[in-house]
Amino acid sequence: MEILWAALGGFCLDLLLGDPAWMPHPVVLMGRCIEKMERLLRKACSNELLAGVILAAALPLGTLFLSALALWLCGQLHTALRFALETVWCWQCLAVKSLGDEAGKVHRALTAGTLEESRRAVGRVVGRDTDNLSAQGVARAAVETVAENFSDGVAAPMLYMFLGGAPLALCYKAINTMDSMVGYKNSRYLYFGRAAARLDDAANFIPARLSALLLILAAGLAGESASEAWHIWRRDRRNHSSPNSAQTESAMAGALGVQLGGPAFYFGELHDKPAIGDPVREIEPGDICRAVRMLYVGSFLCLTLLSLVRGIFTWN
């Protein structure tokens, strides 16, 4: 039951406080570890593929071990201390409020600011180049990142924390952080980042599909089209080089009646990605708010579902 209450407490803290800038965050520490390990491994190992495999194994397993050890040590002092630490870590693994807030900043920049401001705002939450995006391109990028990060930042870590508490959720965050830093198909990371990218694909395989189904249900509850979300998800859920990204993007595109995906620049290189959804109408800034509303509804649905499942198995 402790994991259930820690997860519920973490979710509430995330909704109330988001990601305070003053608070040390484990993902920041993971990022620094990745940078240092990359430098060391590239010097010590001439085989980039092998060096990447070592990174992909060491960081998640190290994170799992150290976080479990820290909780055990806290438990030796007092169970309340262990519970408090686990609750804080569950909170830091989730990104409901911060994702909604960042998307809201993009919306405000598009409606009350300048195009340059909106490009900078969306550049903080997407990996693509944003310098030459049109207003519609900015809105599309924001909606896409809300859809994709509903899985990466909410449903997936929540699923893992309900399965194995904060240590397993942090292990997932380590995998996801590695992918965001080294999992690129460019000259620098084509081989070094391959293991991290494949591991992230595997870790997100089930969460991405669960997230898509939750977004379809959330669409109906949030006043959007659940039937079109289902239809476009069934048709376009594989329209991406990643086995997981189009799962939630297709559900979101169908729910809103817009087209996502398409060509985008990454590190100055054009990637001709397939379109997702039908261009029933042009995307607009208001779609960002509609996507965020689905994000919050989907997050509550995910919490309710996983709490019920965890509670049933715990009580039995």
Side-chain angles (χ1 to χ4, degrees):
M1 288 297 289
E2 184 175 301
I3 288 177
L4 174 60
W5 289 113
L8 289 171
F11 183 84
C12 292
L13 286 171
D14 179 58
L15 287 184
L16 289 172
L17 303 174
D19 184 16
W22 54 265
M23 189 172 186
H25 201 287
V27 170
V28 175
L29 178 59
M30 292 173 190
R32 291 173 182 167
C33 288
I34 293 167
E35 290 175 349
K36 292 181 179 179
M37 290 178 70
E38 179 183 354
R39 288 196 297 268
L40 291 172
L41 287 168
R42 286 186 182 275
K43 290 179 181 179
C45 185
S46 58
N47 187 319
E48 289 191 8
L49 190 60
L50 176 59
V53 170
I54 294 171
L55 172 65
L59 185 71
L61 291 176
T63 300
L64 182 64
F65 172 76
L66 291 175
S67 55
L69 177 62
L71 287 176
W72 180 81
L73 291 173
C74 287
Q76 299 306 300
L77 298 173
H78 201 286
T79 55
L81 183 60
R82 180 185 65 207
F83 176 75
L85 179 60
E86 184 148 34
T87 301
V88 168
W89 276 345
C90 287
W91 162 27
Q92 293 182 312
C93 285
L94 298 172
V96 182
K97 188 176 188 299
S98 59
L99 179 58
D101 287 349
E102 290 299 324
K105 292 176 184 176
V106 179
H107 175 261
R108 288 191 294 274
L110 279 172
T111 55
T114 65
L115 179 57
E116 186 58 36
E117 289 172 344
S118 67
R119 287 169 175 167
R120 287 197 297 269
V122 80
R124 289 193 289 267
V125 291
V126 300
R128 73 190 65 185
D129 300 343
T130 61
D131 292 345
N132 297 310
L133 287 180
S134 64
Q136 287 183 340
V138 169
R140 182 176 296 106
V143 170
E144 287 176 6
T145 201
V146 170
E148 185 173 355
N149 283 288
F150 170 64
S151 178
D152 294 353
V154 182
M158 198 183 296
L159 173 62
Y160 285 113
M161 75 174 61
F162 272 92
L163 286 174
L168 194 58
L170 287 168
C171 179
Y172 166 78
K173 295 300 288 185
I175 294 170
N176 193 239
T177 304
M178 277 194 306
D179 180 63
S180 67
M181 292 182 66
V182 305
Y184 296 102
K185 293 181 179 178
N186 55 27
S187 58
R188 180 177 177 83
Y189 292 118
L190 181 61
Y191 297 105
F192 184 84
R194 184 173 298 178
R198 294 293 180 269
L199 184 59
D200 184 73
D201 288 343
N204 280 298
F205 189 84
I206 292 175
R209 285 147 185 81
L210 172 64
S211 299
L213 295 175
L214 288 170
L215 279 183
I216 292 168
L217 183 56
L221 295 174
E224 309 299 340
S225 177
S227 60
E228 278 303 302
W230 171 262
H231 167 66
I232 298 299
W233 173 71
R234 292 276 295 168
R235 191 191 72 188
D236 292 351
R237 67 186 185 276
R238 297 185 182 90
N239 284 8
H240 202 285
S241 58
S242 163
N244 301 317
S245 295
Q247 296 286 331
T248 49
E249 288 184 23
S250 58
M252 183 68 75
L256 300 181
V258 298
Q259 191 170 73
L260 303 177
F265 282 89
Y266 293 84
F267 303 105
E269 182 179 343
L270 178 63
H271 290 249
D272 191 17
K273 301 191 296 182
I276 298 172
D278 293 327
V280 177
R281 59 178 180 81
E282 293 291 342
I283 196 165
E284 56 191 31
D287 290 317
I288 301 173
C289 298
R290 297 165 69 192
V292 170
R293 186 162 58 245
M294 286 177 58
L295 162 72
Y296 275 96
V297 174
S299 298
F300 278 102
L301 288 174
C302 187
L303 179 72
T304 302
L305 173 64
L306 294 176
S307 297
L308 288 173
V309 172
R310 178 82 195 189
I312 289 170
F313 278 95
T314 301
W315 291 325
N316 287 342

